[in-house]
Amino acid sequence: LASLGLALLTGLVLGLFPGAMAFAAASDLLTMKISNRLSFGLAVAFFPLAFTRVCTVEMGSFSEDYGAFADANTEVLPISVDSIPTLREFKAKEHLVVDLLSDFRREVSRRYGTLLEDKFYSGRAYIVIDGEGIVRWSFLEETPGTRRENGELLERLRSLG
């Protein structure tokens, strides 16, 4: 876990999140920036690729637990290197509720240390940001085939008070 990616992610913990330059990734509806979404908490979830087994299960799980995240005053923002048309198709085919962000140019994944350069997609990682824009927790999975359960993410959110 002492990889460069983890070091970059954990370097953000308890530091101010650079909202003005962060997450200018396009969703299927609009370009989102964290600085516009700070009236509530965020759970940013980097995922490798749409239509893969673990990512499909994870995005379905985020949709199933959408209400639980809303009750925790948190929005889940999944982000991958897939194109906007691919994410639009993925969302429709899997009947997903969450908006999906595209980092097609790999800028956000590279900036936050989640991009697996040799594979050209992002590793699976999570960043929990409170309503003040402060990163409170981050985690980078050792392999893209593993993921955190929503219960763990919700527990992290509850611990923020």
Side-chain angles (χ1 to χ4, degrees):
L1 288 175
S3 70
L4 174 62
L6 182 60
L8 289 172
L9 278 178
T10 56
L12 295 172
V13 175
L14 301 178
L16 288 177
F17 195 81
M21 64 181 186
F23 293 97
S27 76
D28 58 343
L29 300 174
L30 61 129
T31 298
M32 295 178 159
K33 292 186 180 178
I34 283 187
S35 59
N36 295 333
R37 300 173 122 350
L38 291 181
S39 62
F40 45 84
L42 297 169
V44 179
F46 288 90
F47 69 101
L49 295 166
F51 296 107
T52 58
R53 184 182 56 81
V54 176
C55 295
T56 300
V57 169
E58 183 175 48
M59 294 309 110
S61 178
F62 285 146
S63 288
E64 289 170 15
D65 290 338
Y66 187 83
F69 283 102
D71 289 345
N73 200 30
T74 299
E75 183 167 356
V76 178
L77 293 178
I79 182 170
S80 80
V81 299
D82 292 297
S83 68
I84 293 171
T86 298
L87 291 176
R88 188 177 295 130
E89 182 180 340
F90 181 53
K91 183 175 179 174
K93 181 178 183 221
E94 298 300 328
H95 309 286
L96 302 175
V97 176
V98 294
D99 286 324
L100 304 173
L101 301 178
S102 173
D103 181 29
F104 190 68
R105 293 183 185 162
R106 280 79 173 160
E107 293 169 355
V108 176
S109 299
R110 190 171 281 120
R111 166 173 255 134
Y112 292 98
T114 64
L115 186 66
L116 302 172
E117 294 284 353
D118 60 328
K119 296 183 174 38
F120 212 53
Y121 59 75
S122 179
R124 192 174 314 281
Y126 308 89
I127 303 172
V128 171
I129 303 164
D130 70 13
E132 308 270 321
I134 298 172
V135 174
R136 295 296 184 175
W137 179 77
S138 63
F139 188 87
L140 177 65
E141 295 287 354
E142 288 188 43
T143 68
T146 56
R147 70 180 186 93
R148 300 293 90 197
E149 293 295 327
N150 287 352
E152 179 181 350
L153 296 175
L154 288 163
E155 184 60 35
R156 297 283 179 180
L157 293 165
R158 281 190 284 276
S159 74
L160 297 178

